[in-house]
Amino acid sequence: MSLELFPFGQAGERTPLGPSAFLLHGFVLPHTAQLQTLIQAITGQSPFRNMLTPGGYTMTVGLTNCGTLGWTTDQHGYCYSPIDPMTGLPWPALPNLFLTIAREAAQTAGFEDFVPDACLINRYVPGARLSLHQDKNERDLSAPIVSVSLGMPAVFLFGGHARSDKTARVPVKHGDVVVWGGEDRLRYHGVMPLTDQPHPLFGSERINFTFRKVR
Ligand code: MD3
Ligand code: FE
């Protein structure tokens, strides 16, 4: 059972999704070309890869990271690591533009002085999806998470505090940012299977990056 929220805002608008969760429409639109260049530099060092879950499934979403810590999963479980297991080297550094966007988006949603130490970058191709989960591997749950969407549109599933709670469907577009913290920080969420709606700059690809404060 799904509830439609109709958050089809104009660039510059802010749609509340919960008491401490906001969709900032088009928040990074002025920076998308520069963000794409930075992501290409990051993935040149630490490429997207399809990781294995502890349940034995290969994720349909390709992952990489930048920042001091990166989120990884394998057959043994999830963890944040300072080293990319694929290269044996530290993850690429968080570019200054990323840090500025994360801080300003968090501030717009009411969270002052957000300084992330991790940025998980997800790459979706048509058919890729993210099943319902909670982000709870971060030690500091008082900090918000900031999510930036680029390329093809997607539909977020925005649930409650139990996996079985009713989910809302929230469409997100190229340039949108979602911030969630406070009582919304541990909500279940996911991404519906992507449909192919090629984007002028990103083609048949969606990139999402999430800024987190882990430690
Ligand atoms: C959290 N990625 O990497 S956050 C993840 O589009 C992840 O790739 C999403 O979830 C993606 O862990 C971006 C989407 C999201 C939506 C609603 C939420 C996260 C939420 C509601 C509450 C808490
Ligand atoms: Fe998540």
Side-chain angles (χ1 to χ4, degrees), residues 133 135 189 212:
H133 66 278
D135 294 2
H189 59 279
R212 299 136 188 269

Side-chain angles (χ1 to χ4, degrees), residues 11-100:
E13 287 183 355
R14 188 176 86 160
T15 300
L17 301 176
S20 297
F22 294 93
L23 172 50
L24 311 178
H25 299 272
F27 193 81
V28 299
L29 275 181
H31 308 290
T32 54
Q34 208 182 338
L35 290 172
Q36 186 180 44
T37 301
L38 291 168
I39 288 163
Q40 280 162 356
I42 290 165
T43 57
Q45 253 180 278
S46 279
F48 287 117
R49 78 293 307 260
N50 294 84
M51 293 184 185
L52 200 60
T53 68
Y57 293 95
T58 300
M59 294 184 69
T60 55
V61 176
L63 306 187
T64 188
N65 293 274
C66 60
T68 313
L69 292 166
W71 188 86
T72 65
T73 171
D74 64 17
Q75 62 269 39
H76 306 294
Y78 314 119
C79 75
Y80 278 99
S81 166
I83 299 294
D84 177 352
M86 184 173 173
T87 64
L89 298 170
W91 299 100
L94 260 166
N96 277 325
L97 178 64
F98 280 33
L99 286 167
T100 302

